[in-house]
Amino acid sequence: MKAVCIHCGKPKAGAWTVCNACGRQPEESADVAQSVLLSDHNLLTEDLGALAGRVASGEGVQFRTRDVERIAADIERTRKGLDVTPQRLVAFVGILFLIAAVMAVVIRATQR
Ligand SMILES: [Zn+2]
């Protein structure tokens, strides 16, 4: 077991993945954070099994707010860092072409 679904308590491949049992996937940063806490990133497999039982029975798992907030903040930062808009991509490719053009001119100039 790699992770436990925070919704149904069934085992799944990883904290970020879709649950094959209930088809749900953590999307909100706080949900992903709880999923990371309910995975082998954070817990031993034996402990995961016990917590899986608590989720499945509806008893639930008490997360430490501080842990959830810390991980959720990391996830937010990572998501913002990877936020590539089409405009940014076009600008980036444009700058690359400009650099390539300047380099080509410089190389020609130095070869004479
Ligand atoms: Zn599930």
Side-chain angles (χ1 to χ4, degrees):
M1 190 188 323
K2 294 263 182 219
V4 171
C5 175
I6 59 167
H7 300 294
C8 71
K10 293 279 186 270
K12 57 180 198 163
W16 299 74
T17 59
V18 176
C19 172
N20 286 331
C22 71
R24 294 173 75 179
Q25 182 176 19
E27 284 173 13
E28 296 293 318
S29 297
D31 287 348
V32 178
Q34 292 186 4
S35 297
V36 169
L37 288 170
L38 272 189
S39 74
D40 62 2
H41 291 289
N42 186 53
L43 294 166
L44 299 172
T45 307
E46 307 88 82
D47 296 337
L48 270 184
L51 290 173
R54 294 181 57 145
V55 176
S57 71
E59 191 181 353
V61 176
Q62 202 64 44
F63 295 100
R64 282 199 300 192
T65 313
R66 198 180 52 195
D67 292 343
V68 173
E69 284 174 352
R70 179 173 49 82
I71 296 171
D74 282 348
I75 292 163
E76 289 286 337
R77 266 197 298 278
T78 306
R79 283 184 169 168
K80 282 194 186 120
L82 297 176
D83 184 20
V84 179
T85 61
Q87 290 89 342
R88 277 191 208 166
L89 197 62
V90 167
F92 179 68
V93 170
I95 288 167
L96 281 186
F97 270 109
L98 195 66
I99 291 169
V102 169
M103 299 250 311
V105 170
V106 169
I107 288 167
R108 270 195 196 173
T110 54
Q111 278 177 343
R112 278 181 195 159

